[in-house]
Amino acid sequence: MSTRKLNQEVFGLWVNELIARQRVVGVQAKEERFIFGSLSKAEDLRLDYDVTLLPPKKYLLPQREHLMEFTAQGEYESRIEHEPFILFGVHPYDVIAISQLDAIFSAGQYDVHYMTRRRNATIVACDVQTVSAHVFASSMNTATVQDGFDLLLTKIGDDYLADARTEKGEELLAIVSGGVEPAKEDFAKREEVWRKNRESLRKHDLKCRPEELPALLAKSYDDPIWEEKARHCFSCGSCNLVCPTCYCFDVHDDMNWDLQTGTRTRACDACLLNEFAAVAGGHNFR
Amino acid sequence: MTGIANPVEIYNQLYAKSPDIETFEQAALTDASAATERTPPEDIYAPQAATLVQARPLTELETFYEIKLDSGLELGHEPGQFVEISVPGFGEAPISVSSSPTQRGTFQMVVRNVGNLTNALGKLVAGDRIGVRGPFGSEFPVHDVMKGKDILLICGGIGLVPVRSAINYVLDNREDYGHMTILYGAKTPADRIFADEQQDWSKRDRVSVLETVDDPDEGWQGHVGRITALLPLVLVVPENTIAVVCGPPVMYRFVLEELKKMGMSDDSIYLSLERRMKCGVGKCGHCQMNGVYVCQEGPVFQYSTIREVMEAI
Ligand SMILES: Cc1cc2nc3c(=O)[nH]c(=O)nc-3n(C[C@H](O)[C@H](O)[C@H](O)COP(=O)(O)OP(=O)(O)OC[C@H]3O[C@@H](n4cnc5c(N)ncnc54)[C@H](O)[C@@H]3O)c2cc1C
Ligand code: FES
């Protein structure tokens, strides 16, 4: 696999070339904040973002998606999205979150809707350039990442190091004209970016190791802290929606106007909503 | 938001209280690139077409259905498993299979009308078509653990529906099992289901059936009271008995206490648990009890394996 060094100009040309070839979803400014959205030109790309309003999850597990179409006679036909796209500028912690979603949707029973979209996605990861106010990625060992993406971009000085890690990443890199072979110092500069990010993406310091968290949570099931925190909670479910790893969903049918055909849709659901685990007879296990 | 819930701060507070914890062995994440290379098999959410052969009311609320897959294939279920039933335009619901796999060609279920989909299902008649996914979930251990043993079945309300699959399986393989005791509790005499079949079962070799109702009417001559009141009436050899419990959520704790008093060990008790379910295939999260997906590892659990699971009972 190869790595190239791209200066600003080459980088911009490359991104525009990618946009001309396939759909590119990248980070852009939205008023004072940042979002992932369809990119129409390289100038709109903001890889200096701190954090996005929503994680890139919505391009792999949309808030609503049609699973299938059906007829009133009970025939069901799956609808699967096949459009290839590039997810551009994903921070390391979001790359790791996507790997977790991949594990959930591919392990055991294979979710063809999610996995087809995932297979069609090329993930261009990007090392963090601006430290956000409340970041705790480093406490979770997610400040930097070494796999789960196709290509990694790291800003070193005014240039980018573009490091292809898969065939898909290699294909993107093959389109660049004007990139140069990086020198040893360039890799050293990247090491320095990684080292700094591991140090600075830690606005909140976790006192234990992340590996200890499952046991800690299991042990703290009856801790009064949950009641205390729940008093401030609006029970809106927004935290599930913005969480890069929450994947729970609900499924419902909509009949078309003809009353003969309809669509089955899945939509993000939230385990913190009251109804989530309720069953008939008014019983709720939560 | 950080004012409400800063996860790191919460973890730190908890850690301060219990600093000596063991580390869980974290399962390695599947490599995304490996996962992306797999060729996609069929859609796990796509139902197959089926036709109602029979639909008849059992009680005011419950309807009995017999269903045939349009493919002509057998459903291929085991006693205790469930299917996801689709009614076009009304979505999907998990419903237990009530017939034994020894009955070929069709399968049966009983549905209580409680809401959207179950209401729509209640309006369908023989010849109407529905969608079926499954069978899903774990089974009553008829193939191993129960063999050669006495069987004690404790069913509340429509809890009898899935257990009926095991009852008929045992009756069709009678020589493989010991004595079978069926305890059944309903709210009122009008709520009883499969009353004729219970009569038939009680006439079979080495089978006893005991029934009770919470609220009797004038004509009722049987037992009155909770299902736990029937337990002292049965003679159980704990070492040689496998118990199965299935009913409304409130029933389990009381029945388990009684079984313990009778000397039954937790690993010879099997529970069929109800949970909210949507996908049936371990993806949507609705049925989770902490780390356990009831649609995958359940609905039938050996009690000893979930005794310590929070929110299970
Ligand atoms: C493994 C399993 C086996 C079941 N077997 C049977 C059976 O044999 N016969 C039978 O009548 N019922 C059975 N149920 C319950 C049945 O699935 C629900 O009653 C049904 O989903 C309600 O759907 P609805 O659209 O009619 O109700 P809704 O209009 O969606 O809601 C009505 C009520 O049902 C509850 N509910 C909704 N969805 C579910 C759900 N998926 N699971 C449980 N409760 C739900 C809601 O909390 C609400 O109180 C089973 C459930 C499970 C998990
Ligand atoms: S029902 Fe969806 S995960 Fe169990």
Side-chain angles (χ1 to χ4, degrees):
Chain A
M1 297 290 154
S2 40
T3 305
R4 311 288 287 167
K5 186 162 88 167
L6 321 177
N7 67 30
Q8 293 283 356
E9 195 196 340
V10 169
F11 182 78
L13 289 172
W14 175 54
V15 173
N16 278 329
E17 184 57 34
L18 293 178
I19 293 170
R21 289 173 187 232
Q22 60 176 309
R23 181 173 182 220
V24 178
V25 169
V27 182
Q28 305 160 54
K30 187 183 182 190
E31 290 156 19
E32 304 289 285
R33 312 291 287 273
F34 297 97
I35 56 160
F36 278 93
S38 272
L39 204 61
S40 53
K41 54 184 193 302
E43 298 86 88
D44 293 341
L45 190 64
R46 290 290 302 273
L47 294 184
D48 61 336
Y49 75 101
D50 54 354
V51 66
T52 53
L53 284 172
L54 288 178
K57 171 177 86 170
K58 63 178 175 174
Y59 290 96
L60 297 168
L61 187 66
Q63 283 151 14
R64 295 169 58 80
E65 90 175 277
H66 293 330
L67 289 182
M68 58 193 77
E69 280 161 11
F70 59 81
T71 68
Q73 285 71 46
E75 282 122 21
Y76 291 81
E77 195 170 323
S78 301
R79 202 202 263 181
I80 289 156
E81 238 175 74
H82 286 285
E83 192 202 359
F85 68 103
I86 301 172
L87 206 46
F88 206 104
V90 184
H91 276 169
Y93 48 81
D94 275 334
V95 169
I96 291 166
I98 291 172
S99 299
Q100 294 193 5
L101 293 178
D102 293 350
I104 285 152
F105 286 106
S106 65
Q109 308 255 19
Y110 188 87
D111 186 310
V112 67
H113 299 272
Y114 174 93
M115 289 307 295
T116 304
R117 221 177 285 108
R118 178 67 183 85
R119 282 204 329 276
N120 280 315
T122 303
I123 295 183
V124 177
C126 180
D127 278 311
V128 178
Q129 299 173 22
T130 308
V131 178
S132 82
H134 292 287
V135 65
F136 53 86
S138 192
S139 287
M140 298 291 171
N141 293 339
T142 59
T144 58
V145 69
Q146 291 306 327
D147 46 29
F149 55 83
D150 300 292
L151 192 142
L152 175 67
L153 293 172
T154 312
K155 192 148 194 235
I156 48 165
D158 284 337
D159 303 327
Y160 273 105
L161 266 199
D163 181 354
R165 298 289 179 88
T166 65
E167 286 302 323
K168 278 198 272 184
E170 199 69 30
E171 277 168 34
L172 296 198
L173 213 48
I175 299 167
V176 181
S177 55
V180 298
E181 194 67 36
K184 228 173 158 186
E185 308 85 81
D186 295 324
F187 286 106
K189 280 185 198 160
R190 183 169 71 172
E191 287 291 341
E192 182 55 20
V193 169
W194 287 345
R195 194 195 58 76
K196 254 177 58 196
N197 279 355
R198 280 196 281 263
E199 202 175 276
S200 61
L201 299 182
R202 201 179 179 104
K203 294 285 181 185
H204 301 282
D205 202 27
L206 185 68
K207 303 278 188 259
C208 62
R209 289 180 302 125
E211 300 80 60
E212 292 174 318
L213 290 174
L216 180 63
L217 287 172
K219 204 171 167 186
S220 312
Y221 194 86
D222 293 321
D223 197 282
I225 201 168
W226 305 121
E227 280 301 327
E228 186 192 309
K229 292 292 169 193
R231 265 187 269 124
H232 303 285
C233 166
F234 299 117
S235 298
C236 64
S238 296
C239 52
N240 295 117
L241 211 62
V242 302
C243 171
T245 58
C246 276
Y247 57 89
C248 290
F249 60 81
D250 195 20
V251 180
H252 68 268
D253 282 4
D254 291 302
M255 213 66 191
N256 296 331
W257 291 113
D258 61 10
L259 295 182
Q260 287 306 309
T261 57
T263 316
R264 178 163 288 179
T265 305
R266 90 162 139 200
C268 294
D269 205 346
C271 63
L272 290 173
L273 297 181
N274 228 334
E275 267 290 291
F276 187 81
V279 297
H283 197 86
N284 202 328
F285 299 93
R286 295 273 160 83
Chain B
M1 278 295 264
T2 45
I4 301 177
N6 171 350
V8 177
E9 176 223 327
I10 294 177
Y11 293 149
N12 286 344
Q13 285 184 31
L14 295 174
Y15 187 61
K17 291 183 217 169
S18 18
D20 44 326
I21 38 171
E22 302 154 29
T23 312
F24 266 46
E25 200 56 54
Q26 285 269 30
L29 287 178
T30 49
D31 182 3
S33 52
T36 52
E37 273 160 21
R38 211 162 119 181
T39 42
E42 77 279 21
D43 184 356
I44 52 175
Y45 304 116
Q48 49 174 322
T51 304
L52 297 182
V53 178
Q54 202 192 141
R56 74 180 150 84
L58 274 191
T59 67
E60 209 177 309
L61 273 184
E62 282 108 20
T63 312
F64 172 88
Y65 299 91
E66 183 157 358
I67 298 157
K68 190 172 170 48
L69 296 178
D70 289 2
S71 64
L73 298 174
E74 295 291 333
L75 179 64
H77 70 291
E78 295 292 347
Q81 286 193 297
F82 67 97
V83 284
E84 287 280 348
I85 294 293
S86 284
V87 180
F90 295 89
E92 256 187 335
I95 302 292
S96 311
V97 182
S98 189
S99 51
S100 161
T102 42
Q103 177 201 311
R104 317 286 292 174
T106 58
F107 67 93
Q108 299 167 341
M109 58 186 205
V110 173
V111 178
R112 174 175 286 177
N113 183 348
V114 295
N116 237 334
L117 178 134
T118 48
N119 198 346
L121 198 59
K123 297 196 175 109
L124 300 185
V125 295
D128 282 342
R129 300 183 64 210
I130 58 172
V132 174
R133 284 195 298 132
F136 297 126
S138 60
E139 59 210 62
F140 297 121
V142 289
H143 296 299
D144 36 51
V145 179
M146 282 170 136
K147 282 213 168 145
K149 293 281 173 72
D150 291 344
I151 298 166
L152 173 61
L153 307 168
I154 305 156
C155 316
I158 56 172
L160 181 61
V161 171
V163 176
R164 177 174 171 263
S165 176
I167 294 173
N168 285 326
Y169 187 88
V170 167
L171 292 175
D172 288 341
N173 297 278
R174 195 67 199 93
E175 63 287 0
D176 291 348
Y177 307 91
H179 194 95
M180 177 158 69
T181 307
I182 303 164
L183 307 185
Y184 173 61
K187 273 207 183 101
T188 72
D191 291 322
R192 294 161 68 225
I193 52 172
F194 298 122
D196 313 348
E197 292 192 21
Q198 291 185 43
Q199 280 268 318
D200 296 342
W201 296 336
S202 65
K203 289 180 198 140
R204 296 286 299 260
D205 172 35
R206 291 171 295 139
V207 178
S208 12
V209 180
L210 284 177
E211 267 194 278
T212 181
V213 297
D214 291 349
D215 299 316
D217 59 14
E218 282 173 12
W220 180 251
Q221 309 215 318
H223 296 280
V224 174
R226 292 282 150 81
I227 196 160
T228 38
L230 294 178
L231 280 166
L233 306 179
V234 299
L235 196 67
V236 169
V237 184
E239 313 76 60
N240 197 44
T241 303
I242 297 299
V244 166
V245 189
C246 186
V250 289
M251 192 183 101
Y252 292 84
R253 199 166 305 151
F254 300 107
V255 170
L256 287 167
E257 257 170 47
E258 281 305 313
L259 289 175
K260 201 181 177 87
K261 280 189 214 154
M262 293 163 71
M264 293 285 300
S265 68
D266 296 347
D267 53 8
S268 45
I269 302 172
Y270 287 79
L271 312 172
S272 177
L273 298 186
E274 188 187 349
R275 278 298 181 281
R276 181 75 164 246
M277 289 186 187
K278 214 73 213 192
C279 71
V281 289
K283 302 293 177 210
C284 76
H286 278 271
C287 68
Q288 275 192 76
M289 326 186 275
N290 287 295
V292 179
Y293 284 92
V294 177
C295 70
Q296 300 292 103
E297 294 172 51
V300 179
F301 291 95
Q302 191 176 21
Y303 178 44
S304 49
T305 64
I306 51 157
R307 196 179 38 211
E308 311 298 338
V309 176
M310 290 291 185
E311 298 172 359
I313 305 296

